[in-house]
Amino acid sequence: GENVEQHPSTLSVQEGDSAVIKCTYSDSASNYFPWYKQELGKGPQLIIDIRSNVGEKKDQRIAVTLNKTAKHFSLHITETQPEDSAVYFCAASRYSGGYQKVTFGIGTKLQVIP
Amino acid sequence: ETGVTQTPRHLVMGMTNKKSLKCEQHLGHNAMYWYKQSAKKPLELMFVYSLEERVENNSVPSRFSPECPNSSHLFLHLHTLQPEDSALYLCASSQASGSYEQYFGPGTRLTVT
């Protein structure tokens, strides 16, 4: 079946430093790659997404890159702040049988140290 | 209320109880999802309703029974659960067609004793 590998599982950075989370996917039909942030006691919230026809996308301090050939995609957070501390999930998605078939990574717990 | 809401937020039930989880979306979406989130595991898709029809039942035990009376409401009926069913149950919604973001509710933390 489809699989999404995510690394690292935990990440600690000093405030102001950058954080990078990497994912690989197995389903070559995946064409939509969202990243979610989950804070304690809340459901996952979309922070950025990228479609398969785009190699890179940036939104303020957050950027995502996609290498379709290698089936790799990554999240980059620059100038990290304590409020960036949360669990981040990557996902690979395709439309199948009338719905969004989404496969999630296992999550990365990011801790930003003030 | 806006977005996706779930009730109750916390639930403790015995193995012989019957309870239901409720999800409501206020986004005009026409697909709704149930996921199970357990520690150190990826989110597991349980059920999908698209245009009020169940289109996915991801090998979920029959002690979990979904219901989707309309495109805005989704229920998960629970009976004779096992302790290993303790987890965070997340509801999500999206547009049924195309590649679109799923919007998640805050989840119901379920503990089976």
Side-chain angles (χ1 to χ4, degrees):
Chain A
E2 296 86 352
N3 185 48
V4 174
E5 303 261 349
Q6 182 172 349
H7 302 279
S9 57
T10 59
L11 180 59
S12 290
V13 299
Q14 290 292 133
E15 182 177 357
D17 286 351
S18 295
V20 180
I21 301 170
K22 298 184 177 183
C23 291
T24 60
Y25 62 98
S26 61
D27 184 2
S28 56
S30 296
N31 58 4
Y32 175 63
F33 304 89
W35 286 86
Y36 288 87
K37 175 183 181 182
Q38 187 173 23
E39 296 173 298
L40 204 59
K42 296 184 179 180
Q45 301 293 313
L46 182 81
I47 55 170
I48 194 167
D49 56 14
I50 190 167
R51 299 187 188 275
S52 57
N53 57 348
V54 175
E56 186 172 356
K57 183 177 178 181
K58 188 174 181 181
D59 182 4
Q60 299 183 337
R61 297 186 296 109
I62 295 173
V64 60
T65 59
L66 171 65
N67 182 331
K68 274 199 70 178
T69 303
K71 296 183 187 170
H72 291 171
F73 57 117
S74 301
L75 177 72
H76 304 250
I77 306 174
T78 58
E79 301 171 26
T80 53
Q81 300 167 4
E83 52 265 37
D84 295 329
S85 296
V87 179
Y88 291 81
F89 295 94
C90 63
S93 171
R94 62 180 169 89
Y95 179 69
S96 173
Y99 72 99
Q100 280 295 300
K101 189 173 178 67
V102 185
T103 304
F104 288 88
I106 200 164
T108 296
K109 185 174 182 179
L110 173 64
Q111 182 184 20
V112 179
I113 303 165
Chain B
E1 295 265 23
T2 58
V4 181
T5 58
Q6 290 187 243
T7 54
R9 294 293 309 276
H10 300 272
L11 178 62
V12 179
M13 60 186 289
M15 292 167 61
T16 57
N17 290 160
K18 289 185 179 180
K19 295 286 183 183
S20 296
L21 310 184
K22 179 183 177 182
C23 175
E24 185 172 359
Q25 60 95 2
H26 308 266
L27 300 168
H29 291 157
N30 47 23
M32 296 188 78
Y33 310 74
W34 279 116
Y35 287 91
K36 177 183 179 182
Q37 186 175 37
S38 305
K40 300 184 180 179
K41 285 187 176 181
L43 270 73
E44 300 173 55
L45 179 65
M46 301 176 71
F47 300 104
V48 182
Y49 279 82
S50 178
L51 302 174
E52 300 169 35
E53 285 193 28
R54 192 193 306 183
V55 295
E56 180 71 52
N57 176 351
N58 207 19
S59 303
V60 179
S62 60
R63 57 186 183 269
F64 296 90
S65 174
E67 179 189 1
C68 186
N70 55 61
S71 60
S72 299
H73 294 86
L74 184 65
F75 294 89
L76 187 63
H77 304 299
L78 316 171
H79 64 98
T80 59
L81 294 191
Q82 305 297 311
E84 59 265 28
D85 297 323
S86 298
L88 182 69
Y89 288 85
L90 290 162
C91 173
S93 70
S94 75
Q95 294 294 350
S97 59
S99 295
Y100 289 102
E101 171 192 359
Q102 292 184 4
Y103 290 77
F104 285 85
T108 294
R109 173 67 63 186
L110 174 67
T111 303
V112 181
T113 60

